[in-house]
Amino acid sequence: MTRNHPSTRPEHRKPAGATAMRLVVPLQGVVQGRGGLILGSLIPCALFYFLQFYLKRHRSPGPSSSDPPSPSTSSSNLAELPRTLSRSSLSSTRGSFGPARVSSRANSVAKPTDSLYYIGLDKVKQDPYHRTDNPEGIIQLGLAENNLCLDLFEKWVSENLTDSIMGTNGGDLSISSIAMYQPFDGMLELKVAMAGFMSQVMGQRASFDPSQIILTAGATPAIEILSFCVADHGNAFLVPTPYYPGFDRDVPLRTGVELIPVHCRSSDNFIFSISALDQAFNQARKRGVKVRGILISNPANPVGNILPRETIYDLLDFAREKNIHIISDEIYAGSTYGSEEFISMAEILDSEDFDKSRVHIVYGLSKDLCLPGFRVGVIYSYNESVLAAAKKLTRFASISALTQRLLIPMLSDTKFTQEYIETNRKRIKKMYDSFVAGLKQLGIKCANSSSGLYCWADMSDLIPSYSEKGELELWDQLLNIAKINVTPGSACHCIEPGWFRCCFTTLAQEDIPVVIERIRRVAETSTASG
Amino acid sequence: MKLLSTKATCNSHGQDSSYFLGWQEYEKNPYDEKKNPKGIIQMGLAENQLCFDLLESWLNKNPDAAGFKRDGQSIFRELALFQDYHGLPAFKKALVEFMSEIRGNKVTFDPNKIVLTAGATSANETLMFCLAEPGDAFLLPTPYYPGFDRDLKWRTGVEIVPIHCTSSNDFQITETALEKAYKQAQKQNLRVKGVLVTNPSNPLGTTMSRNELNLLVDFITAKNIHLISDEIYSGTVFNSPGFISIMEILKERNCSEDTEVWNRVHIVYSLSKDLGLPGFRVGALYSNDDMVVAAATKMSSFGLVSSQTQYLLSAMLSDKKFTKNYISENQKRLKQRQKKLVSGLEKAGISCLKSNAGLFCWVDMRHLLSSNTFEAEIELWKKIVYDVKLNISPGSSCHCTEPGWFRVCFANMSEETLKLSMQRLKAFVDTTINVHNQSNHQSVKNSRRKSLSKWVFRLSFDDREPCGER
């Protein structure tokens, strides 16, 4: 469960200003009528002060910045929490040796999450759907996992997993050769095989040099390591919304790098505009925060669309102008099913003359190859210094040599990988088509997407009020009445309420009508009462 | 110019210390029995290569474990999808039982309190992130594993303040040394969050005495701080007085769940040394503090253990017949090998600290120094690396306060290679004594080496390098 958790925002935070105003205005009118202007101002002010005081004590410490508490600019509590807490604890306790306690980082991450993602997942765990054994259970649509092609692996393993590969025959590839210390950034043979695989996944439209590859135990540490390399504590990355909720924990937690959301709209199919990036960059600068890079997912999660060529050009120009980095998480590059072809940063940099040294690509085998358990991630960079630093940091997150030993022949078997990539695409498309058609029957449209293991569904017609609160109410109904777990857009910082990410690659074809039927239950009730 | 972060560009990770330079030289000219018999023999790598045959024979008898099968049925699907940071329950259970077995079953561990990480390196760093803020400090007895300078400090911003130990009492920790280190930290305006010890010790190869352990518990109780016991070599204890785990001490002192100090003791473990599987990247941290376990579990996302590896090892470690035999056989072979090294050194007129654990010996070459200085130590070290062609680790890289000590590993090579290394060393010592009077020749070499050694000396000492982080 390392790539699918939304931010830990307090779900029930009251908009303090609104509540207070509802008290103050009528009160002012009442008092003015009797006691004059002074009393009319003083008493509401006092009440307002006490209300603020009360709320402050009961709200968890949040950012001291003056961002208005609107639903989607609410950057995760988690992102800002460690910084303010650690600063305050540094200043107040340095030199004083009070009782030993855990660090502020531990404090913030250890407390029980109020993240909707985990609440949903836990609920599914308690009552998981099973076609025959538990047909009334909760159906999981919140986990971006691809279960569609594991049979292909099982076949490969049964045919190819020989003793020689696993090192049990004492030959050249004996246990000693994988038992001992390996280069922390991965075996050379695996880098070579991975470079070839990545190129294959991207239809041979991009080429990858094994010497620019750093292997990590999953894409999660890959992103953290890159963040440590290109930014300092207190710096920031711009991140177009909606974005993968896991970024909120994975990036800021130990690096102290802030994520600044840059809002995108459905009218643009949620593709960012340079002017929005520019505005966010300048706003950050005004409050003294240095932006060091832009973090994008391409293909996008949760929307599932692909960046057009022109947008990538504009992004590269923008990055050069501002002298910042681009981290492009391309982990879904092989999970495309539409007619649009995926364009990797690597493809652009191969062919066009852009400054390469600021671009870093993240990849992994958790999505395209459905092997999240094996922990295989990639950092691909054109910057020698970043590669050198990242290489040293892989000591904290290396891939198990046992797993590398398995993957080298697997990824080098280009016949297998080609068949896999094509079959995978076909199966994802089939599921996508059925699922989206089913939603259409209910009048639910999805965003224009051509990749990923999910669709981005617009259920704004079904939400009781066009607000984050309305969205969460619908989410709750879907979970508890329809008994399906989906990811609400607010968890992804989406600025427009009513969008939900529905993952369909953990389902079987037969499950889709069941899901649609269940959503219908809620949809009909909502439209009837709404 | 795209600026990198200060962490990426600063040098406080100690990557340039002599410990790593020796490795680099070895990489350029590695010894091979057939292909490069005059190459540098690696004696600076604490790896256990003595029991691969036992592992291989187990794998041969249990093909399901490495073949993604359970009872003949394929579980590839299940493993491929398993990425729960709580870890494979069967593996955690087998691991804690293994840890218990190593401790003679005098203590037991709760699988719910263990957090799996990609190696002990990751476990140590994670504990720092969980227990300390940037700018806090941990006290470490010297000499200590050079990698700590990087693992504990680099990304965490935590400082290390040394607890100086000397040969006068076989480098044991004393109350005076502890207090002195604590005061030193205060003088540097650092808040001490805890003490970290390696038991059995790297590089000393000794187990901590009951006295030292009790001293530590007293100290952390008085100062209200944490204790991390890195017990990564616990399975390599081959001689008396035997291994005493910190948990045993707490039990003896009735420091159980309802005492505060119980929550402040944390253990780090790994299968890299005891089981000789560093390539598998299997580490763990164990804590009685729920919050530490909860936080570390989530942080382990940044370095999880491959499910394939967890499954294979859960099968292996659940085989109690295998583990019992492995533990005793491993200790036997380590004992024999250490004896060979010690006697080889004796023949060359070199003594070492009496050790009963680990994959190395702490060797006393003070009498071979031209002067009682670290410059002389580095001078000697360079001779041993470049002329004698043995890569050993100089004490200065381990922050030892006395020049002339070296860590020499014995478990990462064949017996023949060890024999050869001792022959080379003896030849060197004999020649050194004979040419001791050729001062002219020596001084020319010395001046060249001095300029290089000053740089190496400064870096290997690694006091707080100003990196603008705090």
Side-chain angles (χ1 to χ4, degrees):
Chain A
M1 273 146 236
T2 51
R3 294 277 294 172
N4 295 290
H5 31 259
S7 62
T8 36
R9 273 178 325 104
E11 159 191 357
H12 305 292
R13 181 164 59 183
K14 300 183 180 65
T19 324
M21 281 303 124
R22 282 200 211 119
L23 271 174
V24 169
V25 170
L27 202 60
Q28 237 173 357
V30 166
V31 177
Q32 264 183 329
R34 298 222 184 133
L37 207 60
I38 296 170
L39 269 177
S41 308
L42 266 180
I43 294 175
C45 283
L47 283 171
F48 188 75
Y49 168 76
F50 283 117
L51 180 70
Q52 286 295 325
F53 181 64
Y54 171 83
L55 285 173
K56 210 172 188 181
R57 286 188 67 196
H58 290 263
R59 193 189 307 164
S60 34
S64 52
S65 71
S66 51
D67 281 8
S70 76
S72 35
T73 51
S74 53
S75 37
S76 157
N77 245 15
L78 199 56
E80 270 114 76
L81 188 56
R83 265 199 309 138
T84 30
L85 254 195
S86 67
R87 262 201 243 116
S88 67
S89 68
L90 271 177
S91 53
S92 64
T93 55
R94 184 176 292 294
S96 75
F97 303 95
R101 58 183 179 279
V102 297
S103 68
S104 53
R105 279 177 284 220
N107 251 314
S108 72
V109 80
K111 62 180 188 225
T113 182
D114 50 9
S115 148
L116 298 182
Y117 177 74
Y118 285 111
I119 293 173
L121 279 184
D122 281 343
K123 280 240 155 174
V124 175
K125 268 199 216 134
Q126 289 163 25
D127 182 18
Y129 168 79
H130 188 276
R131 212 170 302 125
T132 46
D133 299 343
N134 189 18
E136 290 304 310
I138 306 176
I139 301 181
Q140 176 69 283
L141 298 173
L143 196 57
E145 212 176 63
N146 181 354
N147 295 358
L148 306 177
C149 291
L150 290 161
D151 57 315
L152 299 179
F153 281 116
E154 278 166 340
K155 181 160 170 280
W156 189 92
V157 163
S158 68
E159 287 168 6
N160 295 278
L161 199 66
T162 59
D163 284 344
S164 64
I165 288 179
M166 294 328 293
T168 50
N169 67 350
D172 273 348
L173 294 178
S174 69
I175 192 83
S176 54
S177 59
I178 53 169
M180 303 198 293
Y181 280 105
Q182 307 293 332
F184 285 122
D185 61 328
M187 297 179 190
L188 182 59
E189 300 99 311
L190 184 55
K191 289 187 185 184
V192 170
M194 182 65 73
F197 179 70
M198 284 168 75
S199 191
Q200 223 183 350
V201 146
M202 300 186 197
Q204 308 289 357
R205 297 183 301 275
S207 67
F208 294 90
D209 181 348
S211 69
Q212 288 170 237
I213 287 182
I214 302 276
L215 296 173
T216 59
T220 302
I223 292 183
E224 199 203 29
I225 286 173
L226 273 175
S227 306
F228 268 114
C229 288
V230 307
D232 291 311
H233 196 287
N235 292 156
F237 289 154
L238 301 180
V239 195
T241 70
Y243 64 75
Y244 160 57
F247 285 157
D248 286 325
R249 192 199 69 180
D250 297 346
V251 178
L253 178 62
R254 306 192 305 185
T255 67
V257 174
E258 182 189 336
L259 295 183
I260 296 176
V262 178
H263 293 297
C264 308
R265 299 186 181 276
S266 54
S267 46
D268 301 319
N269 201 31
F270 297 101
I271 296 203
F272 59 82
S273 69
I274 299 299
S275 56
L277 287 177
D278 198 31
Q279 194 181 40
F281 185 91
N282 293 330
Q283 275 175 351
R285 194 172 43 187
K286 273 197 210 115
R287 54 179 175 96
V289 170
K290 193 165 179 203
V291 170
R292 298 300 287 269
I294 302 165
L295 173 60
I296 59 170
S297 298
N298 178 31
N301 176 10
V303 180
N305 55 6
I306 287 171
L307 279 187
R309 191 175 290 266
E310 282 307 315
T311 313
I312 300 182
Y313 290 163
D314 292 340
L315 180 65
L316 284 161
D317 284 335
F318 178 78
R320 185 186 34 97
E321 182 196 318
K322 305 293 185 196
N323 196 15
I324 57 181
H325 296 268
I326 298 173
I327 299 177
S328 179
D329 181 356
E330 303 189 348
I331 202 176
Y332 289 100
S335 305
T336 53
Y337 47 80
S339 49
E340 259 182 280
E341 267 184 355
F342 170 67
I343 307 169
S344 165
M345 281 287 168
E347 187 187 328
I348 303 282
L349 294 176
D350 272 350
S351 53
E352 308 282 341
D353 188 25
F354 282 101
D355 182 2
K356 297 180 180 181
S357 62
R358 57 180 79 254
V359 178
H360 320 283
I361 295 171
V362 169
Y363 188 63
L365 300 184
S366 301
K367 309 294 178 184
D368 290 347
L369 224 51
C370 10
L371 301 174
F374 293 172
R375 312 314 305 146
V376 183
V378 180
I379 293 175
Y380 190 80
S381 177
Y382 297 85
N383 186 317
E384 288 302 322
S385 314
V386 167
L387 286 174
K391 186 176 178 169
K392 290 176 191 159
L393 286 172
T394 52
R395 64 183 311 99
F396 299 110
S398 291
I399 305 178
S400 176
L402 186 67
T403 302
Q404 296 192 54
R405 167 68 67 74
L406 170 74
L407 292 172
I408 291 166
M410 193 186 272
L411 295 182
S412 307
D413 186 345
T414 47
K415 194 157 159 274
F416 165 72
T417 51
Q418 192 58 36
E419 184 202 331
Y420 177 93
I421 292 167
E422 285 165 7
T423 312
N424 188 33
R425 288 214 172 99
K426 280 200 201 96
R427 292 183 185 177
I428 299 178
K429 179 160 184 23
K430 194 155 173 248
M431 294 298 286
Y432 174 81
D433 287 341
S434 307
F435 195 80
V436 169
L439 289 178
K440 204 164 170 202
Q441 284 170 19
L442 303 174
I444 298 171
K445 289 209 253 342
C446 292
N448 204 356
S449 65
S450 50
S451 61
L453 311 176
Y454 37 73
C455 60
W456 187 234
D458 183 1
M459 302 198 198
S460 51
D461 286 340
L462 303 178
I463 59 181
S465 62
Y466 191 69
S467 62
E468 185 186 325
K469 184 161 175 281
E471 178 185 288
L472 300 185
E473 273 178 40
L474 178 61
W475 175 80
D476 192 74
Q477 285 177 348
L478 288 169
L479 183 63
N480 292 306
I481 300 174
K483 303 198 90 181
I484 60 168
N485 178 39
V486 291
T487 307
S490 49
C492 308
H493 300 271
C494 185
I495 201 171
E496 299 176 11
W499 291 89
F500 290 82
R501 187 188 78 168
C502 309
C503 303
F504 48 75
T505 48
T506 45
L507 303 174
Q509 196 77 26
E510 308 82 89
D511 299 325
I512 295 183
V514 180
V515 173
I516 301 300
E517 219 16 72
R518 292 199 185 181
I519 302 178
R520 189 191 296 277
R521 282 188 224 163
V522 168
E524 279 166 0
T525 349
S526 298
T527 41
S529 58
Chain B
M1 197 196 70
K2 277 81 35 205
L3 294 165
L4 287 179
S5 64
T6 41
K7 278 206 171 79
T9 46
C10 81
N11 194 32
S12 73
H13 53 73
Q15 193 77 5
D16 301 323
S17 92
S18 50
Y19 178 73
F20 300 106
L21 281 176
W23 276 42
Q24 283 167 29
E25 283 308 311
Y26 164 76
E27 301 277 312
K28 286 186 214 159
N29 182 18
Y31 169 81
D32 183 288
E33 210 178 314
K34 301 190 188 77
K35 297 181 220 161
N36 189 14
K38 291 213 169 54
I40 301 180
I41 298 178
Q42 175 67 286
M43 304 188 88
L45 182 57
E47 222 175 40
N48 183 356
Q49 296 181 15
L50 304 183
C51 293
F52 286 141
D53 57 316
L54 298 180
L55 296 172
E56 264 158 13
S57 97
W58 187 90
L59 286 171
N60 263 316
K61 295 195 202 120
N62 297 274
D64 273 9
F68 301 95
K69 290 208 184 94
R70 188 192 289 135
D71 303 324
Q73 299 285 60
S74 167
I75 53 164
F76 185 90
R77 180 178 292 254
E78 189 187 313
L79 291 176
L81 297 176
F82 185 84
Q83 55 172 328
D84 185 353
Y85 53 33
H86 291 102
L88 204 64
F91 177 52
K92 290 205 295 186
K93 179 168 176 287
L95 183 61
V96 301
E97 283 170 3
F98 184 66
M99 286 168 69
S100 195
E101 201 179 337
I102 286 175
R103 290 156 181 72
N105 291 311
K106 293 194 202 122
V107 282
T108 54
F109 296 93
D110 180 354
N112 293 318
K113 294 185 180 173
I114 201 163
V115 179
L116 301 173
T117 59
T121 301
S122 181
N124 277 315
E125 197 201 33
T126 301
L127 268 179
M128 287 297 112
F129 274 120
C130 288
L131 300 177
E133 310 294 342
D136 287 344
F138 260 78
L139 308 180
L140 265 69
T142 66
Y144 63 76
Y145 162 56
F148 281 150
D149 287 324
R150 179 194 46 216
D151 300 345
L152 304 179
K153 291 165 53 165
W154 195 4
R155 300 194 291 185
T156 62
V158 172
E159 285 301 328
I160 295 177
V161 175
I163 303 166
H164 293 295
C165 303
T166 65
S167 58
S168 59
N169 68 342
D170 289 342
F171 296 95
Q172 293 200 25
I173 301 175
T174 63
E175 202 177 332
T176 326
L178 281 167
E179 288 294 342
K180 208 163 157 203
Y182 193 82
K183 287 205 177 65
Q184 177 61 27
Q186 282 179 311
K187 238 196 276 175
Q188 289 173 233
N189 204 25
L190 297 169
R191 179 173 62 174
V192 176
K193 284 314 283 277
V195 180
L196 188 150
V197 297
T198 310
N199 178 27
S201 164
N202 175 10
L204 301 175
T206 54
T207 49
M208 282 184 104
S209 64
R210 189 165 248 110
N211 192 35
E212 282 172 282
L213 291 165
N214 275 305
L215 207 62
L216 282 171
V217 176
D218 292 336
F219 185 73
I220 66 162
T221 310
K223 306 293 187 201
N224 221 346
I225 58 180
H226 296 272
L227 175 63
I228 299 174
S229 181
D230 183 340
E231 302 187 347
I232 196 178
Y233 290 99
S234 47
T236 65
V237 180
F238 49 78
N239 237 337
S240 61
F243 177 62
I244 307 169
S245 167
I246 188 72
M247 286 300 177
E248 236 182 282
I249 299 291
L250 290 179
K251 221 170 138 188
E252 275 173 13
R253 293 167 67 128
N254 292 317
C255 296
S256 61
E257 283 97 286
D258 44 6
T259 60
E260 262 224 35
V261 74
W262 177 252
N263 286 348
R264 292 203 306 273
V265 174
H266 321 277
I267 293 180
V268 169
Y269 188 58
S270 156
L271 298 179
S272 300
K273 311 295 179 181
D274 291 349
L275 225 51
L277 298 171
F280 281 25
R281 309 316 300 142
V282 182
L285 62 92
Y286 185 91
S287 175
N288 290 309
D289 185 326
D290 290 336
M291 201 174 257
V292 171
V293 174
T297 301
K298 294 198 177 138
M299 280 193 198
S300 67
S301 305
F302 299 112
L304 293 176
V305 180
S306 165
S307 59
Q308 173 198 20
T309 307
Q310 289 190 52
Y311 177 65
L312 180 119
L313 292 172
S314 75
M316 190 186 276
L317 296 182
S318 304
D319 185 345
K320 302 298 182 197
K321 203 157 151 247
F322 168 77
T323 55
K324 187 158 180 237
N325 179 51
Y326 184 93
I327 293 173
S328 72
E329 190 57 33
N330 183 37
Q331 289 167 357
K332 212 178 6 181
R333 294 184 190 184
L334 286 170
K335 184 175 181 175
Q336 279 173 353
R337 194 54 84 79
Q338 185 249 26
K339 253 202 196 136
K340 292 220 152 57
L341 174 67
V342 171
S343 63
L345 289 169
E346 260 170 24
K347 286 202 192 85
I350 300 173
S351 67
C352 51
L353 184 71
K354 185 150 184 276
S355 68
N356 63 334
L359 311 174
F360 32 71
C361 281
W362 189 234
V363 178
D364 185 356
M365 299 205 204
R366 288 178 290 180
H367 60 294
L368 297 174
L369 294 182
S370 57
S371 61
N372 185 23
T373 61
F374 286 105
E375 274 98 351
E377 177 185 285
I378 294 298
E379 192 187 306
L380 175 61
W381 173 72
K382 285 205 167 296
K383 277 193 213 139
I384 296 179
V385 172
Y386 293 111
D387 300 342
V388 188
K389 301 235 174 30
L390 303 177
N391 178 35
I392 61 178
S393 311
S396 47
S397 68
C398 306
H399 302 273
C400 186
T401 40
E402 302 172 14
W405 291 88
F406 291 80
R407 188 190 79 166
V408 180
C409 300
F410 55 74
N412 63 315
M413 64 197 74
S414 70
E415 218 176 290
E416 291 75 45
T417 312
L418 182 63
K419 208 163 147 193
L420 174 64
S421 70
M422 291 298 101
Q423 284 167 0
R424 286 188 189 177
L425 193 58
K426 181 163 192 319
F428 166 72
V429 170
D430 291 342
T431 351
T432 307
I433 291 172
N434 287 339
V435 301
H436 189 69
N437 296 321
Q438 295 184 21
S439 49
N440 277 348
H441 181 61
Q442 285 291 72
S443 65
V444 168
K445 274 194 171 169
N446 283 350
S447 63
R448 241 193 294 131
R449 291 210 179 106
K450 263 206 181 84
S451 55
L452 193 59
S453 68
K454 242 192 266 172
W455 160 73
V456 168
F457 167 71
R458 191 174 62 232
L459 282 176
S460 71
F461 250 80
D462 193 354
D463 289 319
R464 291 156 61 210
E465 296 265 3
C467 285
E469 255 311 305
R470 272 167 277 112

